[in-house]
Amino acid sequence: MDRVNATTPSASSADDPARAAFAALRTPEGEQLLAELRDHDPADELATATRLRRTHPAELVSAALGQARLRQRAVAKFGAEDAYRMYFTPNGVEQATRTSVAAHRAARFAGLGVRSVADLCCGIGGDAIALARAGISVLAVDRDPLTAEVARANAQALGLGELIEVRCADVTEIDTAPYDAVFVDPARRGGRGRIFDPEAYSPPLSWATAAALKAPRAALKIAPGIPHEAIGPEAEAEWISDGGDVKEAVLWYGEGFAPGAFRATLLPSGATLSAPAPLPAPPVGPVGRYLYEPDGAVIRAHLVADLVERCGGRLVDETIAYITSDEPYSSPYVTGYEITDELPFSMKRLKALLRERRIGVLTVKKRGSAVEPEELRRRMKLSGPGSATVFLTRVAGAPTMLIGHPLG
């Protein structure tokens, strides 16, 4: 039988050094150490460890320094106020959902009247926390004993223990019938890094989909690069970006969702673009005065054609997600640029043009080009007060440079 959700539970924390170290962190002495290390500089770790080991056990100092590093990393996902109250494991920091994304997902559930969720593969509890803060009671399940203990500690640390029940168990053995909805977040990393085959997830995508289809409503978190053909017709597929970076994809099932539809959601604005099905391939034509770069979530959701139709534009190449038009177009789903020059690809010609215009700050964007932006900047030897954006791409199949500047 495939492993699900991590390792087999051990008998007690005494049998597991990692669990014993975590238990020590939750003692008054451990909590005091963590408070002292809040603003600790990792560059001074050796000196800090030497000083602390004079008054504290060496094992506790090592555990506290490790947790301090994890908390500092977690600030980017959870914010400082939560991160410095929570506990983490290395995998937990890496795989946890960003708070803004988890809150968006919880809000969709809450908006449909969901009051209870079985959170399967809960990890350190990031999604369970967001669900509880939306007023939803949560059963949070993870098979790894340390991870489950960390999730329980996080619920308590944030004052959500009454809404979050943490259970260390095999998710495949959980009866989800009593719950309004199911959320599944399969592990997508293994000993060799990221897992790209959905059937190699833990649990596999097929099991997670079957569990989702049994529930009145469900959400299944997946990697944003999942092939569209791996998505069943029963799901509404949503790709979510935060600050312009695509963070994840979610498959939604059940009442209140649109089977077969594709959606792109942009955070923090919450703007969402959806279509019942992908449109036919958009037209391709010459570069106009304006160029538009779609948000990554729009590209992943295969909704570029929808934007082309909305702005009355065209693609610059049938394989490149750059949209062009002759009239300006404003939309939260694209970043717009006014194009001043279109040149065949040539380092020499680009360098001469930038020197002539005294460009000292150059933003390099590329799609369909093998040139590395840093290498290009190095070779340009930029100097001057001006700024510009160069797009290294293909136009009608030919390597091309487009020079311009952002709109607005």
Side-chain angles (χ1 to χ4, degrees), residues 332-385:
Y333 307 107
V334 299
T335 302
Y337 300 83
E338 184 172 10
I339 298 302
T340 56
D341 300 89
E342 177 183 354
L343 304 169
F345 179 80
S346 166
M347 288 281 196
K348 184 176 180 180
R349 291 185 65 177
L350 179 61
K351 185 175 182 179
L353 184 147
L354 297 176
R355 181 178 297 172
E356 176 187 332
R357 296 183 184 173
R358 302 181 66 202
I359 300 298
V361 178
L362 184 67
T363 300
V364 182
K365 293 180 170 288
K366 67 169 194 168
R367 283 199 180 130
S369 172
V371 177
E372 291 300 326
E374 289 305 319
E375 172 64 13
L376 183 140
R377 288 193 196 90
R378 186 185 66 79
R379 294 179 63 178
M380 292 300 103
K381 297 181 180 178
L382 301 169
S383 178

Side-chain angles (χ1 to χ4, degrees), residues 6 18 41 180 182 192 214 265-266 280 293 327 346 359 399:
D41 184 350
D180 295 341
V182 168
R192 298 182 179 179
K214 293 176 185 176
T265 298
L266 281 56
E293 181 181 29
E327 301 295 332
S346 166
I359 300 298

Side-chain angles (χ1 to χ4, degrees), residues 66-88:
Q67 190 62 221
R69 290 194 299 271
L70 294 174
R71 284 180 167 183
Q72 289 176 349
R73 286 174 55 193
V75 168
K77 286 188 174 183
F78 290 90
E81 184 176 350
D82 282 351
Y84 285 111
R85 290 189 289 164
M86 293 172 66
Y87 298 90
F88 301 94

Side-chain angles (χ1 to χ4, degrees), residues 169-246:
D170 186 328
V171 297
T172 64
E173 298 174 357
I174 297 298
D175 178 13
T176 61
Y179 299 89
D180 295 341
V182 168
F183 172 63
V184 190
D185 181 7
R188 295 178 302 281
R189 283 184 176 272
R192 298 182 179 179
R194 291 186 183 275
I195 297 171
F196 297 98
D197 177 7
E199 283 307 296
Y201 292 174
S202 180
L205 180 62
S206 57
W207 181 90
T209 301
L213 291 172
K214 293 176 185 176
R217 295 184 178 91
L220 170 56
K221 178 179 171 181
I222 54 174
I226 187 171
H228 278 225
E229 55 269 23
I231 300 171
E234 309 91 349
E236 173 190 308
E238 179 182 28
W239 282 261
I240 303 169
S241 68
D242 189 1
D245 295 328
V246 181

Side-chain angles (χ1 to χ4, degrees), residues 232-237 252-262 275-277:
E234 309 91 349
E236 173 190 308
W252 297 95
Y253 300 85
E255 185 179 352
F257 305 112
F262 296 87

Side-chain angles (χ1 to χ4, degrees), residues 14-383:
D15 303 322
D16 184 341
R19 292 174 66 195
F22 178 65
L25 287 177
R26 303 198 66 209
T27 64
E29 184 179 9
E31 290 176 353
Q32 178 188 344
L33 264 180
L34 287 174
E36 289 180 23
L37 291 169
R38 176 183 172 119
D39 300 319
H40 140 77
D41 184 350
D44 298 329
E45 187 161 302
L46 181 59
T48 301
T50 301
R51 174 176 57 81
L52 292 176
R53 283 170 180 159
R54 297 186 187 119
T55 53
H56 300 282
E59 295 82 359
L60 179 59
V61 171
S62 295
L65 285 167
Q67 190 62 221
R69 290 194 299 271
L70 294 174
R71 284 180 167 183
Q72 289 176 349
R73 286 174 55 193
V75 168
K77 286 188 174 183
F78 290 90
E81 184 176 350
D82 282 351
Y84 285 111
R85 290 189 289 164
M86 293 172 66
Y87 298 90
F88 301 94
T89 65
N91 284 341
V93 171
E94 186 71 31
Q95 299 183 29
T97 303
R98 183 178 292 263
T99 292
S100 56
V101 178
H104 162 74
R105 185 163 41 239
R108 288 201 76 182
F109 270 139
L112 292 170
V114 170
R115 308 313 304 161
S116 61
V117 171
D119 178 0
L120 308 181
C121 314
C122 69
I124 60 166
D127 281 282
I129 289 165
L131 290 164
R133 283 175 168 168
I136 297 170
S137 63
V138 185
L139 171 65
V141 184
D142 202 284
R143 188 175 181 179
D144 177 54
L146 174 60
T147 301
E149 288 181 17
V150 170
R152 187 175 296 110
N154 287 336
Q156 294 169 357
L158 299 180
L160 299 169
E162 293 298 316
L163 283 170
I164 301 174
E165 174 195 348
V166 179
R167 190 179 302 173
C168 182
D170 186 328
V171 297
T172 64
E173 298 174 357
I174 297 298
D175 178 13
T176 61
Y179 299 89
D180 295 341
V182 168
F183 172 63
V184 190
D185 181 7
R188 295 178 302 281
R189 283 184 176 272
R192 298 182 179 179
R194 291 186 183 275
I195 297 171
F196 297 98
D197 177 7
E199 283 307 296
Y201 292 174
S202 180
L205 180 62
S206 57
W207 181 90
T209 301
L213 291 172
K214 293 176 185 176
R217 295 184 178 91
L220 170 56
K221 178 179 171 181
I222 54 174
I226 187 171
H228 278 225
E229 55 269 23
I231 300 171
E234 309 91 349
E236 173 190 308
E238 179 182 28
W239 282 261
I240 303 169
S241 68
D242 189 1
D245 295 328
V246 181
K247 295 301 179 183
E248 66 177 61
V250 188
L251 304 183
W252 297 95
Y253 300 85
E255 185 179 352
F257 305 112
F262 296 87
R263 178 184 298 271
T265 298
L266 281 56
L267 301 177
S269 71
T272 188
L273 178 69
S274 63
L279 292 175
V284 178
V287 177
R289 181 175 178 181
Y290 302 98
L291 188 76
Y292 305 100
E293 181 181 29
D295 184 272
V298 172
I299 297 172
R300 294 282 194 177
H302 293 187
L303 293 174
V304 173
D306 187 86
L307 288 180
V308 172
E309 185 176 76
R310 289 179 180 224
C311 76
R314 55 202 176 265
L315 297 181
V316 301
D317 185 279
E318 63 180 4
T319 64
I320 303 293
Y322 282 141
I323 303 169
T324 188
S325 71
D326 303 310
E327 301 295 332
Y329 172 68
S330 178
S331 165
Y333 307 107
V334 299
T335 302
Y337 300 83
E338 184 172 10
I339 298 302
T340 56
D341 300 89
E342 177 183 354
L343 304 169
F345 179 80
S346 166
M347 288 281 196
K348 184 176 180 180
R349 291 185 65 177
L350 179 61
K351 185 175 182 179
L353 184 147
L354 297 176
R355 181 178 297 172
E356 176 187 332
R357 296 183 184 173
R358 302 181 66 202
I359 300 298
V361 178
L362 184 67
T363 300
V364 182
K365 293 180 170 288
K366 67 169 194 168
R367 283 199 180 130
S369 172
V371 177
E372 291 300 326
E374 289 305 319
E375 172 64 13
L376 183 140
R377 288 193 196 90
R378 186 185 66 79
R379 294 179 63 178
M380 292 300 103
K381 297 181 180 178
L382 301 169
S383 178

